[in-house]
């Protein structure tokens, strides 16, 4: 089994390396971008806020559709899981700027360097910061569905669509709600990297809050930075009041209970959902009024067609199956061709002269891992006690999520002045500052996954624990912590992915014309991307991350995840 894991891990690394090399081989053919002149006038802020919001919304819709389809497909069986979940683990650990070649080639080149292509590239980059934790949340929800619920639906002969509508999708709602908040937090956090498209010496800054904050930081304009952060804070607070708080209350309906009437008191009003509830029937009636005439016409036309005999229906079914098989074979051939081209590009890239900076990669990898370990320990050290307190106190839980959403959404640019003034100047180095910035990219993944886990603990189990006279410590040890184990593992996996992403912001940043950096993979990757444009160095840095991530997933996270979902699910 160990040999099989090693071979599987080596194949995964080779495939990812081939695809990365294939993307970077197109870098030389990327179009030259001509970005518009960027203004940091406060009067432009409403327009910038609108631009950033519609990009975030478009990316979130795509991420939601992708995560439901991908997470449920990965949960279909061990064979699917072995391929699809490691792919997600690797994808979430590749920094946002690692997707620049794919974004530039597929979108910017498609539009010949026009604004539409850059907009699509920005939406795709934001998607990469939102989708992976949603997909893992759906996968965990599917893996932890109690077996008796599945068996009950199978015993009643429920169709696949009915199982999806009555069991699979409702089971994913709590995780989807909390991970949606987390996806928006991550999207706002990485907004700067997603709105500034870099192709060699060209930098295209799309109008938006991320570009505005970066431009203001580059010029040292503290007033404009405060104005941009105030606008971002206003959007976050409005979304929390109008969307996330009502959805969090609504998600209470979908947790598992073992006795009727055990759901307990609701956390509060549904707020904006109550105000909008009257729109539902109106929208339904409008849609039915619009759809009914063409549907009736289609039924009349189909009724006029001659009835098909069994032989004809069988031929059509065989033709449909043959078409499906042909499409699947075509997709596999395209994938194999891409891998072959990628391996050739990888061999060509690695055979060339390596840059002098490549000798720093082993030490940089070790330094980055050490910083992530420290940041993860600090994150788990405060988020787990907060989750335990939230399990005991509904009022505390109601306040914790909005505060975390607001604080976690602050882009790293907002922290640069504090870090420069109070950390770098006091400690005389960047190591502590780097750990603090990594912490801002890791801790929210743990917190929101733990809050989602707390939300799924059945109320009747809590009442039973109190009825047996267990004290608070015993309830934590016997009920709360075991129930949170799957969420801890999922949160840890996504937190480490967020930590690798945060390296690009934590080990290298510019403020008031001065660059602050420390030895690490993130600093090497940033320097190669924004300073030298060295594709070889970018590729080697990303490959180093992939090797470490695959090794950790194979040796640590996969084993912990299997134990967590098998031994600690509610059944």
């Amino acid at each position: 089994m160990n040999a099989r894991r090693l071979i599987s891990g080596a194949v995964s690394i080779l495939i990812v390396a081939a695809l990365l090399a294939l993307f970077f081989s197109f870098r030389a053919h990327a179009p030259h971008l001509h970005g518009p002149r960027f203004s940091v006038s406060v009067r432009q802020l409403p327009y910038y806020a609108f631009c950033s919001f519609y990009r975030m919304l478009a990316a979130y819709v795509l991420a939601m559709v992708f995560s439901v389809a991908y997470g449920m497909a990965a949960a279909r069986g061990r064979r699917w899981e072995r391929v699809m979940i490691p792919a997600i683990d690797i994808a979430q650990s590749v920094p946002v700027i690692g997707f620049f070649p794919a974004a530039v080639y597929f979108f910017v080149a498609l539009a010949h360097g026009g604004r539409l292509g850059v907009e699509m590239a920005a939406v795709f980059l934001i998607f990469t910061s939102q989708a992976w934790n949603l997909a893992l949340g759906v996968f965990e929800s599917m893996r932890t569905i109690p077996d008796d619920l599945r068996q009950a639906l199978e015993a009643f002969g429920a169709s696949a669509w009915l199982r999806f509508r009555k069991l699979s999708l409702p089971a994913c709602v709590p995780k989807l709600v909390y991970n949606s908040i987390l996806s928006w937090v991550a999207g706002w956090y990485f907004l700067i990297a997603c709105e500034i498209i870099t192709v060699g010496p060209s930098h295209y800054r799309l109008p938006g809050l991320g570009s505005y904050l970066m431009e203001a930081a580059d010029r040292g304009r503290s007033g404009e930075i405060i104005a941009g952060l105030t606008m971002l804070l206003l959007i976050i607070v409005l979304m929390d009041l109008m969307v996330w708080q009502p959805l969090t209350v609504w998600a209470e309906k979908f947790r598992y209970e073992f006795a009727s009437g055990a759901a307990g008191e609701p956390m509060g009003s549904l707020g904006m959902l109550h105000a909008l509830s009257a729109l539902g029937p109106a929208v339904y009636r409008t849609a039915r009024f619009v759809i009914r005439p063409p549907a009736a016409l289609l039924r009349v036309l189909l009724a006029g067609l001659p009835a098909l005999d069994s032989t004809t229906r069988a031929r059509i079914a065989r033709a449909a199956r043959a078409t499906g098989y042909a499409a699947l074979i075509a997709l596999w051939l395209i994938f194999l061709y891409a891998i072959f081209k990628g391996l050739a590009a990888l061999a060509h890239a690695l055979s060339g002269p390596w840059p002098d900076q490549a000798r720093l990669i082993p030490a940089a990898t070790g330094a980055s891992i050490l910083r992530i370990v420290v940041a993860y320990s600090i994150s788990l050290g405060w988020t787990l006690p907060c989750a335990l307190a939230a399990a005991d106190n509904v009022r505390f839980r109601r306040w914790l999520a909005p505060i975390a959403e607001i604080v976690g959404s602050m882009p790293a640019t907002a922290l640069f002045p504090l870090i420069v003034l109070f950390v770098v100047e006091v400690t005389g180095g960047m190591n502590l500052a780097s750990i603090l910035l990594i912490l801002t990219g890791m801790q929210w993944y743990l917190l929101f996954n733990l809050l989602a886990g707390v939300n799924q603990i059945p109320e009747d189990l809590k009442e039973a624990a109190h009825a047996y006279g267990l004290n608070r410590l015993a309830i934590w040890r016997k009920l709360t912590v075991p129930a949170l184990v799957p969420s801890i593992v999922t949160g840890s996996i996504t937190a480490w992915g967020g930590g690798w992403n945060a390296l690009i912001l934590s080990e290298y940043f510019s403020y008031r014309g001065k660059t602050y950096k420390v030895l690490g993979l993130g600093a090497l990757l940033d320097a190669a991307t924004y300073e030298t444009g060295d594709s070889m160095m970018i590729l080697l840095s990303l490959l180093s991350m992939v090797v470490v991530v695959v090794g950790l997933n194979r040796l640590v996270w996969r084993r912990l995840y299997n134990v967590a979902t098998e031994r600690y699910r509610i059944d």
Side-chain angles (χ1 to χ4, degrees), residues 59-87:
Y60 171 73
V61 171
L62 294 175
M64 180 64 73
V65 174
F66 166 83
S67 63
V68 171
Y70 196 97
M72 290 186 178
R76 291 183 62 181
R78 293 289 184 183
R79 184 174 299 177
W80 293 76
E81 177 187 344
R82 288 194 198 102
V83 177
M84 300 181 74
I85 295 304

Side-chain angles (χ1 to χ4, degrees), residues 156-412:
F156 282 107
S159 63
W161 169 247
L162 187 63
R163 290 198 299 271
F164 170 79
R165 191 163 57 90
K166 294 295 185 180
L167 178 61
S168 300
L169 190 59
C172 297
V173 166
K175 280 288 183 181
L176 281 176
V177 170
Y178 277 96
N179 279 281
S180 293
I181 302 174
L182 179 57
S183 290
W184 278 79
V185 168
W188 290 125
Y189 185 84
F190 291 108
L191 191 64
I192 293 172
C194 297
E195 289 186 343
I196 302 175
I197 308 296
T198 300
V199 185
S202 301
H203 297 269
Y204 193 111
R205 294 193 174 188
L206 285 169
L209 285 177
S211 300
Y212 176 89
L213 288 169
M214 191 64 184
E215 187 73 20
D218 286 344
R219 300 184 187 182
R221 306 273 284 272
S222 300
E224 282 75 6
I225 292 177
I226 293 173
L229 291 176
T230 302
M231 178 64 73
L232 178 59
L233 181 64
L234 179 63
I235 296 173
I236 294 168
V237 171
L238 287 176
M239 284 200 65
D240 180 72
L241 292 175
M242 298 175 64
V243 180
W244 302 129
Q245 284 194 25
L247 284 178
T248 301
V249 177
W250 176 68
E252 290 273 319
K253 296 170 55 178
F254 297 94
R255 65 182 177 186
Y256 300 121
E257 299 292 350
F258 297 99
S260 60
E265 293 297 323
M267 288 173 58
S269 168
L270 291 181
M272 186 57 64
L273 288 187
H274 276 158
L276 297 177
S277 60
L279 291 178
V283 171
Y284 173 74
R285 286 193 295 269
T286 303
R288 187 175 61 178
F289 176 77
V290 172
I291 293 174
R292 180 176 287 180
L297 179 61
L298 181 62
R299 283 197 298 270
V300 170
L301 293 176
L302 291 177
L305 296 176
L308 300 177
D309 55 23
S310 58
T311 304
T312 305
R313 287 198 298 269
R315 288 176 180 172
I316 294 175
R318 285 196 299 270
R321 283 196 297 270
T323 303
Y325 288 139
L328 184 61
I329 292 172
L331 288 175
W332 270 107
L333 289 176
I334 294 172
F335 176 74
L336 292 175
Y337 176 75
I339 295 298
F340 174 78
K341 293 284 290 184
L343 290 174
L346 180 65
H348 176 73
L350 297 180
S351 63
W354 287 24
D356 294 337
Q357 293 291 315
R359 58 186 174 82
L360 299 176
I361 288 179
T365 303
S368 294
I369 292 175
L370 183 60
R371 293 187 193 102
I372 292 177
V373 169
V374 174
Y376 172 75
S377 302
I378 297 173
S379 300
L380 190 61
W382 78 266
T383 55
L384 184 56
C386 282
L388 295 176
D392 294 334
N393 191 324
V394 174
R395 182 174 297 178
F396 176 72
R397 190 194 327 172
R398 193 186 307 166
W399 282 99
L400 179 60
I403 293 173
E405 179 193 350
I406 292 170
V407 177
S409 300
M410 291 292 105

